[in-house]
Amino acid sequence: MAERPVLRLLGADDLVAYKALRDATLAAHEDAFTSDAETEARKAPEHYRSRFGLDRHDAGHFTVGAFVGGRLVGALSCEREPRRKVRHQGHLVGMMVEPGHRRGGVGRELLLDAIARARQAPDLEILTLSVTAGNPAERLYEALGFVRYGALRRALKLGAAYHDKHLMSLDL
């Protein structure tokens, strides 16, 4: 049986490990992410500080990490809208799990943890995400209650190939 991951919020000391995980994941799965590996590789680890919510004092903006043997093997961020009219929305972004830990429950654990944290955030009522059509993660999102509310055709363009994005939401 695979070692169960330890989940916790990422902090400033995790920026370098997060960037390494992100760079490797983007390079390996260019059709799964809106960001491109080449551009992101040039960014300093400090660039992702805002994604961790370290400079925000409201709940619902965070990145949770999954650690196995003390090493970061997965991450998922929740970005809460700061504008008053849409503060009730959170957006899950950047679901990443190292190849050796996929299909072992790490992604599910990350998603369950992020949902639980979002439910604790005052006035956060809905989570959204987008997933590239055909990505196996879509089945996980559906299994945990996310429903597809739309699709953005030709959302990603890689060379001459287009990929659609499915838009999903979960009422908290």
Side-chain angles (χ1 to χ4, degrees), residues 44-87:
E46 187 66 24
H47 174 82
Y48 301 101
R49 183 181 183 81
S50 63
R51 183 166 276 190
F52 290 9
L54 301 177
D55 300 325
R56 292 189 53 171
H57 302 289
D58 54 349
H61 194 99
F62 57 83
T63 297
V64 62
F67 293 82
V68 173
R71 191 168 57 79
L72 183 66
V73 300
L76 175 61
S77 298
C78 181
E79 296 181 345
R80 185 172 191 172
E81 284 284 351
R83 298 170 292 172
R84 187 171 44 96
K85 293 180 186 179
V86 289
R87 267 191 62 66

Side-chain angles (χ1 to χ4, degrees), residues 22-128:
R22 182 172 169 80
D23 287 349
T25 304
L26 291 176
H29 303 284
E30 65 180 347
D31 64 338
F33 297 93
T34 304
S35 297
D36 69 276
E38 183 180 339
T39 301
E40 296 296 304
R42 292 191 296 266
K43 294 179 180 175
E46 187 66 24
H47 174 82
Y48 301 101
R49 183 181 183 81
S50 63
R51 183 166 276 190
F52 290 9
L54 301 177
D55 300 325
R56 292 189 53 171
H57 302 289
D58 54 349
H61 194 99
F62 57 83
T63 297
V64 62
F67 293 82
V68 173
R71 191 168 57 79
L72 183 66
V73 300
L76 175 61
S77 298
C78 181
E79 296 181 345
R80 185 172 191 172
E81 284 284 351
R83 298 170 292 172
R84 187 171 44 96
K85 293 180 186 179
V86 289
R87 267 191 62 66
H88 64 289
Q89 297 176 35
H91 309 288
L92 296 182
V93 297
M95 168 69 96
M96 302 177 286
V97 177
E98 276 189 351
H101 294 277
R102 290 191 190 128
R103 302 188 108 34
V106 172
R108 181 181 189 82
E109 295 276 341
L110 283 167
L111 193 55
L112 286 169
D113 188 86
I115 292 168
R117 290 177 191 277
R119 285 188 168 131
Q120 295 301 311
D123 303 318
L124 194 55
E125 300 173 15
I126 189 169
L127 289 176
T128 68

Side-chain angles (χ1 to χ4, degrees), residues 131 133 148 150-157 161-167:
V131 59
R148 192 164 99 179
L152 180 56
R153 291 187 53 248
R154 298 168 48 146
L156 301 178
K157 184 176 181 183
Y162 291 95
H163 300 272
D164 297 347
K165 284 277 196 173
H166 290 166
L167 310 174

